Amino acid sequence: MFKTILVPVDGSAHAEKALGVAALLARASSATLHLMTVAEFPPDNIGLFTGGTAEPFSEVEREKLAEGMKQEAHKVIEKARAAVDLAGIEVKEVTRQGRPADLIHEEAEKLGADAIVMGSRGVSDMRGMVFGSVSHKISHIASCTVITVT
């Protein structure tokens, strides 16, 4: 049935439920799970988000923030692993930085994924309502099966 399943995780309850479904599918078909999290790019200017003035980051500050975001992304994968029994399943991890929908799609293509199993809503529900959810975008652009879990 499935040999390669990509599971994007973002720390949300929906992502953890999706990982549980993906684990069941992986066990039933001896598939490899690829856990993926995406750290978005740091904003060019954090002042506006904190109610301050529009002062650009220095390159050093931007790199420091990006590294912190990558570390937080790795913690998301660790949290997902702890929430679901993955014993007996081959699990690989990938952390990327950029736009989630684009990178999930690219990773699925690179892996030749048979399926993407993901939560229907992530940690940024409000942003998703304004810009369109990542799962919605993936369901329209992926060339493989996409399973969204609520």
Side-chain angles (χ1 to χ4, degrees):
M1 189 168 163
F2 298 120
K3 292 294 175 199
T4 303
I5 302 172
L6 179 62
V7 186
V9 294
D10 64 359
S12 69
H14 288 273
E16 287 179 9
K17 284 177 70 175
L19 179 55
V21 170
L24 291 172
L25 292 170
R27 277 197 187 89
S29 58
S30 300
T32 300
L33 288 183
H34 293 264
L35 296 183
M36 177 181 189
T37 191
V38 178
E40 294 190 53
F41 289 120
D44 289 328
N45 180 323
I46 202 162
L48 296 176
F49 294 107
T50 60
T53 60
E55 295 181 26
F57 281 136
S58 71
E59 191 58 33
V60 171
E61 291 168 325
R62 188 170 171 76
E63 286 177 19
K64 186 176 178 181
L65 182 58
E67 185 56 38
M69 292 173 86
K70 287 178 191 175
Q71 289 173 3
E72 287 301 313
H74 185 68
K75 288 179 185 176
V76 166
I77 288 181
E78 290 174 0
K79 179 183 177 222
R81 277 182 167 271
V84 176
D85 178 14
L86 299 174
I89 301 172
E90 182 179 1
V91 180
K92 297 183 179 183
E93 300 177 3
V94 62
T95 300
R96 304 270 305 273
Q97 189 167 25
R99 292 188 172 98
D102 295 339
L103 292 176
I104 292 165
H105 178 249
E106 286 174 20
E107 191 68 19
E109 293 293 314
K110 182 177 107 178
L111 293 171
D114 302 301
I116 301 169
V117 181
M118 62 191 303
S120 61
R121 289 189 231 40
V123 292
S124 58
D125 285 341
M126 180 56 82
R127 185 172 177 220
M129 287 190 289
V130 176
F131 296 107
S133 73
V134 173
S135 61
H136 181 77
K137 289 177 187 174
I138 293 298
S139 70
H140 287 283
I141 63 175
S143 59
C144 64
T145 299
V146 177
I147 300 168
T148 55
V149 178
T150 56

